[in-house]
Amino acid sequence: MDHWGVPHHGKGAAREELIARRAREEIEFLKGQRPELTARVEIRPDVIWIGVNDRTTDLFEGLWPITREGVSYNAYLIDDEKKAIIDLAKAFKGDAFLEQIDELIDVGQLDYVIMNHLEPDHGGLLNIIRRIAPDVTLVCSKKASDMLATFYKVTENVMVVGDGEELSLGKHTLRFYSTP
């Protein structure tokens, strides 16, 4: 059985319709029973959780079963003089993620995307964000900068920050720390 309780051996349109029906039922359940899991959350003034939830992925990191619990792709918007997003989400969650941002600011006006690391659940929307906001600056470590160049072919509008460096957004200042 997969996440939706559909046997793996099923084929064709009937299986796809059953999966789609179960997905719709789960979305309605989440909206009705746990709205806090599907809405942005103000952490403090101008700092908003804009993450999205994934209840369709079977394995987290390809190892741990999460079919019952799901997983959240945590990301944050700092809505200041300079607009910054901390982390992104998997590409297939792009519509939901961009809607979270669009309800607050124009995505095209983003100044910074802070990349804590580049696993696909944190960098999957990178190229989409760069198309919508072509002047956005990616803020990351030296190692992440090398990975951006290698895996995404991104070398422009990248700001490398080191341990203890700061970035002022206006009222808010971000300080970066290297952690193992």
Side-chain angles (χ1 to χ4, degrees):
M1 297 264 194
D2 66 10
H3 172 69
W4 304 108
V6 178
H8 287 287
H9 61 274
K11 292 183 181 179
R15 179 179 179 351
E16 294 303 316
E17 176 53 35
L18 184 56
I19 290 171
R21 188 181 78 225
R22 296 244 173 101
R24 286 190 300 271
E25 289 169 358
E26 185 158 326
I27 289 167
E28 289 307 310
F29 171 79
L30 288 173
K31 284 181 182 175
Q33 302 298 317
R34 300 178 69 186
E36 74 278 6
L37 295 180
T38 58
R40 61 188 181 277
V41 177
E42 186 176 55
I43 306 293
R44 59 182 309 164
D46 304 321
V47 180
I48 302 106
W49 179 83
I50 54 166
V52 292
N53 295 293
D54 176 359
R55 300 214 15 111
T56 58
T57 298
D58 291 329
L59 297 173
F60 179 71
E61 304 282 330
L63 299 171
W64 299 283
I66 56 169
T67 54
R68 287 191 8 227
E69 301 86 357
V71 67
S72 294
Y73 303 119
N74 294 311
Y76 305 88
L77 169 69
I78 301 174
D79 188 6
D80 206 327
E81 292 170 32
K82 298 286 186 173
K83 315 289 186 212
I85 292 179
I86 300 174
D87 280 333
L88 298 174
K90 275 190 173 180
F92 82 92
K93 288 293 184 177
D95 288 343
F97 186 78
L98 293 172
E99 282 176 27
Q100 293 275 63
I101 302 166
D102 267 338
E103 291 176 4
L104 299 165
I105 67 165
D106 175 1
V107 178
Q109 300 303 309
L110 278 173
D111 296 291
Y112 299 104
V113 172
I114 315 304
M115 303 294 301
N116 284 317
H117 64 285
L118 289 177
E119 290 177 339
D121 57 335
H122 293 271
L125 291 171
L126 182 61
N127 287 326
I128 292 170
I129 293 285
R130 291 181 64 240
R131 275 185 283 227
I132 296 170
D135 295 325
V136 71
T137 297
L138 306 176
V139 181
C140 59
S141 68
K142 172 67 173 120
K143 184 172 187 169
S145 170
D146 295 340
M147 293 173 75
L148 281 171
T150 301
F151 297 115
Y152 292 94
K153 309 300 183 224
V154 173
T155 57
E156 295 181 18
N157 292 348
V158 176
M159 176 189 294
V160 174
V161 291
D163 199 43
E165 288 189 54
E166 295 182 346
L167 174 63
S168 175
L169 302 176
K171 295 180 288 188
H172 300 86
T173 299
L174 303 177
R175 182 175 298 141
F176 297 90
Y177 294 98
S178 298
T179 56

